[in-house]
Amino acid sequence: MKQNATFKGWEPTWANACVGENGNPQIYEYASGYASAANLLLDQVIEKEGRSLCVDIFIYPICFNMRHAIELFLKAAAVSLEQLAKIRSSAIPAFDLTGPHDLGNIWTYVREHASQFDLRYVELLTELNRYVADVAEIDATGQVFRYPFDLDNNKHLTSVSVINVVILKERWAILERLLKNLNRLNDDLLIEYGWGGFTAKLSRLQLA
């Protein structure tokens, strides 16, 4: 394998990040990385109170990392739902992991099909909807915080004007926690349903 001069391993060894088949990172790990990057930037900007880190500049990478993390967390959830459907022999539409990035469509897929599997999703999905809907309304396709203009040369965010990073941090902390709870619930249910303790209509919890 030809070694890339920029993306390569070297000394010190602690600085070498494992990627690809080395460590085998999945969608969830990617999502966690973008989420952590958003948190780091938010904390630094708020700590400096806009003095050395300009809020007007850092708002874009902060929101882009947040928004991309949300998309990846939801895509990870969609993959788990497909696995649950296979275990339960339920027919749900295949999720196109490499398809369009429309956050509203991805969220609709997760919300609609998760509620078919288990009642334990309902409360969590209801709470999540309040936060995901906000982000999808502002940046449905992941382009708003990535570029200043859309494909028709219209400027982004003209209807928003101001974004407060303190409020953003508070809302994002809740949203990130809920998204991780959703993926944790998916993992738990994959194990539970893998045991086979369910019927066509009832989960193991309902049968207990």
Side-chain angles (χ1 to χ4, degrees):
M1 181 182 295
K2 181 180 178 181
Q3 191 173 54
N4 186 292
T6 302
F7 301 97
K8 68 177 184 178
W10 203 252
E11 299 292 339
T13 56
W14 66 261
N16 292 330
C18 296
V19 298
E21 295 297 340
N22 184 15
N24 195 28
Q26 301 296 312
I27 302 172
Y28 187 86
E29 284 71 36
Y30 274 66
S32 296
Y34 282 102
S36 297
N39 289 329
L40 184 62
L41 289 172
L42 273 169
D43 289 342
Q44 288 296 308
V45 168
I46 291 171
E47 180 183 333
K48 302 297 183 182
E49 295 184 343
R51 291 188 294 270
S52 58
L53 301 178
C54 180
V55 182
D56 294 345
I57 293 175
F58 276 89
I59 191 64
Y60 303 109
I62 287 170
C63 291
F64 175 81
N65 280 304
M66 285 173 46
R67 195 257 173 226
H68 196 54
I70 295 166
E71 178 180 332
L72 293 176
F73 277 128
L74 293 180
K75 285 185 172 180
V79 170
S80 295
L81 289 175
E82 285 190 308
Q83 295 171 340
L84 279 170
K86 185 176 181 180
I87 293 172
R88 293 197 61 169
S89 298
S90 302
I92 66 171
F95 180 76
D96 184 4
L97 194 60
T98 61
H101 302 278
D102 190 301
L103 198 61
N105 291 341
I106 300 168
W107 173 234
T108 297
Y109 179 96
V110 171
R111 188 177 55 191
E112 288 183 355
H113 298 300
S115 60
Q116 295 177 12
F117 290 116
D118 199 291
L119 292 175
R120 283 168 281 187
Y121 280 113
V122 175
E123 182 178 351
L124 178 55
L125 293 172
T126 300
E127 193 173 359
L128 258 172
N129 188 61
R130 298 161 49 200
Y131 297 90
V132 176
D134 273 0
V135 181
E137 178 185 359
I138 297 300
D139 191 0
T141 60
Q143 301 301 308
V144 170
F145 295 103
R146 191 177 181 188
Y147 302 109
F149 298 93
D150 65 18
L151 295 176
D152 296 319
N153 208 36
N154 298 311
K155 194 168 188 177
H156 289 307
L157 298 169
T158 55
S159 63
V160 178
S161 182
V162 172
I163 300 172
N164 186 288
V165 293
V166 175
I167 293 176
L168 189 64
K169 178 178 171 58
E170 293 171 356
R171 300 279 294 180
W172 168 237
I174 298 170
L175 176 51
E176 183 187 8
R177 173 177 56 81
L178 293 173
L179 288 167
K180 288 184 175 180
N181 287 346
L182 174 61
N183 280 276
R184 192 174 297 114
L185 176 57
N186 284 335
D187 290 342
D188 291 344
L189 292 181
L190 281 168
I191 295 172
E192 179 184 306
Y193 280 98
W195 292 336
F198 60 89
T199 68
K201 295 184 177 180
L202 298 175
S203 68
R204 186 182 184 92
L205 178 67
Q206 291 168 305
L207 290 171

